[in-house]
Amino acid sequence: MVEQLSLSEGDGDCFLLTPNRSMSWKGNIRIWLAAFILSMVISTGMLLVGAWPVLPFAGLELAALAAGFYYTSRKCQRQEVLTFSRELIRLEKGLTHKEKEWELPRQYTRVWQDVPRHPWTPPKLHLQFRGEEISLAPFLNIDDTEELVAILEKKGLRVEKRRRPEKLWF
């Protein structure tokens, strides 16, 4: 998701880039609780007919589901802040707070767009300055990536397309 933020100093534009979050943490907990109740009803029934080995596997299944929900929810908390001033582009990345920051001169920064091999795959964007290539919002979907490309072009940056060499499946 691409969201424009307002700056207090007024001489630049700031954009918040976040992944799409289909469900809140409370929603994830509700889904897990529903799966827990259903699993416990089935496991209790199996336990009553003498199939007790089902119970530990149901517990493992619920633990794996909880771990998957936590991991996915945590990854969806990533965010990037892209700030444009007259002479600089600032990119800040982090999960709950700023973990990394880059300041790149606007005039000498190149923007690369990797053309995807499949039409359903979103293109990947990179900022490049002096041989350092920084991934820009790899979590965006196709529509949000197109919106970000339009913003970058509106800000005067030329987005160059490139096709990476084909890799094997791994």
Side-chain angles (χ1 to χ4, degrees):
M1 191 163 78
V2 180
E3 177 184 347
Q4 186 166 6
L5 303 173
S6 60
L7 291 177
S8 58
E9 60 237 20
D11 69 334
D13 292 322
C14 186
F15 297 91
L16 177 64
L17 311 171
T18 58
N20 289 336
R21 298 181 187 122
S22 59
M23 196 177 311
S24 67
W25 179 247
K26 287 183 180 182
N28 287 334
I29 296 294
R30 288 182 189 130
I31 295 293
W32 186 84
L33 285 174
F36 175 80
I37 291 169
L38 180 64
S39 182
M40 286 301 110
V41 166
I42 292 170
S43 298
T44 304
M46 298 300 275
L47 184 65
L48 292 175
V49 296
W52 63 267
V54 170
L55 200 57
F57 289 107
L60 286 173
E61 177 184 29
L62 289 170
L65 185 63
F69 275 148
Y70 177 79
Y71 179 78
T72 302
S73 182
R74 185 80 173 151
K75 285 292 187 180
C76 285
Q77 297 303 314
R78 292 183 297 171
Q79 55 185 340
E80 297 182 8
V81 178
L82 185 62
T83 308
F84 295 95
S85 65
R86 286 190 188 124
E87 298 171 3
L88 289 176
I89 299 171
R90 175 181 292 129
L91 178 63
E92 301 170 1
K93 293 184 177 193
L95 202 56
T96 57
H97 61 281
K98 179 173 57 173
E99 296 171 359
K100 293 182 181 179
E101 178 180 6
W102 295 268
E103 284 190 357
L104 308 168
R106 193 170 178 166
Q107 183 177 3
Y108 302 109
T109 301
R110 299 176 78 174
V111 180
W112 290 103
Q113 178 180 359
D114 291 339
V115 179
R117 289 184 268 176
H118 192 278
W120 294 347
T121 305
K124 301 297 178 199
L125 298 174
H126 304 276
L127 297 174
Q128 184 182 30
F129 175 68
R130 291 192 176 171
E132 182 181 14
E133 197 168 291
I134 305 159
S135 176
L136 179 61
F139 44 76
L140 293 180
N141 62 24
I142 294 173
D143 295 333
D144 290 341
T145 303
E146 289 173 0
E147 181 181 351
L148 181 57
V149 167
I151 289 169
L152 292 171
E153 289 174 341
K154 184 179 174 186
K155 295 295 174 191
L157 297 170
R158 196 171 119 219
V159 179
E160 300 177 37
K161 295 184 179 189
R162 67 179 176 185
R163 186 172 295 277
R164 295 271 183 156
E166 297 290 327
K167 295 181 181 178
L168 295 177
W169 58 271
F170 54 90

